Amino acid sequence: MKPASGDNQQQSYLANGYLFPLPALSTQEANAARRVVEAFETEQGSKISKKHRHKPHLLMPVLNDIIRSSKVLDAVENIIGPNILCWESVLFIKEPGDQAFVSWHQDATYWGLEPFEVVTAWIALSPSNKASGCMRVIPASHIGELTPHVDTFAPNNMLSRGQELAVSVDETHAVDIELAPGQMSLHDVKIVHGSEPNQSDDRRMGFAVRYIPTHVQQVAAQGDSAMLVRGVDRHQFFRSDPAPTQDFSAAAMAAHEEAYLNRMKIMMRQ
Ligand SMILES: O=C(O)CCC(=O)C(=O)O
């Protein structure tokens, strides 16, 4: 698909609830970020844990640089305006041949953020295509009320509660968000999306970064945190997440632990 430009991008995003492919990083930058994650895995002798996949920009300076990079933020600013917080990031990694999948869902369901002005930049750190289980979206499904969800806690579901839409999805109109390393998509917090298992012979690594304008609030709990990445924050609704200076330093691990536990309380609330 050909990328739209300027105002067209905004219009296309508002009408469809997603936009892709957009340039975010060079291939070298994407590979460099992947190498940092994989060097950590080699050092610890196991895959990066579920905990460290959440908010990894608090642990690795290379990811902290990506969430602030101008190409990403220019595209995000075009959608949500100039005062921008990074509320969350997640490494969505599917190993070749494993059964991990993401059920059809809408992000807004459990995040506690209001108003629903949240945009995710999903940045490919490895090829993300039909074979590797790229993200899929249902165009324009962000318009209207949220659809009820059920929690399945299915073991291969990559979502924290295995949440999925309580109604069946007509997949005939689903769009495959195919991206090369360094490209990104943007998606709205209410769009219906999901993804299938990875049947390729490489890992599928996506770095999903959730951005909000500074006037968005956490209404489900006290003490949520985020990081100002552009503009000014006159509202101060969120505690400030500290940027890491070294990969997995003790200080970064401690700050990450606190932010992670706090966030899980919100995500797993009844
Ligand atoms: O990485 C995937 O396949 C799904 C990502 C996702 O659900 C999200 O970024 O909200």
Side-chain angles (χ1 to χ4, degrees):
M1 186 196 263
K2 213 165 164 269
S5 63
D7 286 353
N8 292 344
Q9 284 190 349
Q10 203 187 31
Q11 275 170 18
S12 169
Y13 179 87
L14 292 176
N16 297 315
Y18 67 94
L19 192 64
F20 83 106
L22 298 170
L25 310 172
S26 66
T27 313
Q28 290 82 351
E29 288 168 327
N31 291 342
R34 176 175 179 167
R35 275 198 302 275
V36 171
V37 175
E38 293 184 341
F40 173 69
E41 293 180 322
T42 304
E43 196 184 306
Q44 66 166 12
S46 59
K47 302 293 179 208
I48 184 166
S49 64
K50 184 176 163 236
K51 175 165 88 175
H52 292 141
R53 289 175 196 214
H54 275 271
K55 284 207 165 184
H57 66 281
L58 301 188
L59 296 169
M60 290 170 260
V62 70
L63 298 183
N64 183 55
D65 289 345
I66 291 176
I67 67 161
R68 297 160 180 281
S69 67
S70 53
K71 281 190 192 142
V72 175
L73 289 180
D74 288 350
V76 169
E77 178 171 347
N78 204 19
I79 308 294
I80 61 171
N83 300 316
I84 304 173
L85 292 166
C86 172
W87 175 71
E88 172 70 274
S89 71
V90 185
L91 281 166
F92 280 101
I93 303 177
K94 291 179 188 168
E95 303 302 333
D98 79 14
Q99 293 308 304
F101 72 102
V102 175
S103 48
W104 291 111
H105 70 287
Q106 293 170 298
D107 291 333
T109 317
Y110 297 102
W111 288 1
L113 297 174
E114 286 182 16
F116 291 154
E117 293 173 34
V118 190
V119 59
T120 293
W122 197 103
I123 303 164
L125 302 183
S126 72
S128 189
N129 48 42
K130 265 175 105 97
S132 67
C134 64
M135 199 166 63
R136 312 184 75 208
V137 298
I138 305 295
S141 54
H142 63 307
I143 296 166
E145 297 297 310
L146 281 177
T147 303
H149 284 60
V150 288
D151 296 336
T152 69
F153 295 99
N156 289 321
N157 193 323
M158 298 177 83
L159 301 178
S160 39
R161 311 167 65 122
Q163 62 268 33
E164 64 182 29
L165 290 190
V167 295
S168 64
V169 170
D170 176 3
E171 297 186 20
T172 51
H173 301 296
V175 172
D176 294 309
I177 309 276
E178 296 199 298
L179 300 169
Q183 290 184 323
M184 68 172 174
S185 57
L186 301 181
H187 71 260
D188 183 270
V189 70
K190 283 170 66 193
I191 192 129
V192 173
H193 61 292
S195 65
E196 299 282 323
N198 178 2
Q199 291 174 340
S200 76
D201 53 13
D202 191 7
R203 309 177 89 181
R204 196 222 62 169
M205 298 178 73
F207 182 42
V209 191
R210 327 286 193 194
Y211 294 102
I212 53 176
T214 52
H215 61 258
V216 163
Q217 297 192 58
Q218 175 54 259
V219 298
Q222 303 287 321
D224 201 359
S225 62
M227 190 187 278
L228 186 68
V229 288
R230 181 171 276 187
V232 286
D233 181 2
R234 294 204 176 82
H235 301 278
Q236 304 283 317
F237 290 143
F238 291 82
R239 289 186 303 116
S240 209
D241 284 329
T245 51
Q246 248 187 306
D247 288 333
F248 296 93
S249 68
M253 296 279 257
H256 174 268
E257 178 86 13
E258 190 187 347
Y260 173 76
L261 292 176
N262 204 20
R263 180 58 52 74
M264 280 304 122
K265 256 194 256 161
I266 295 169
M267 300 291 283
M268 304 311 284
R269 73 192 184 281
Q270 291 304 316

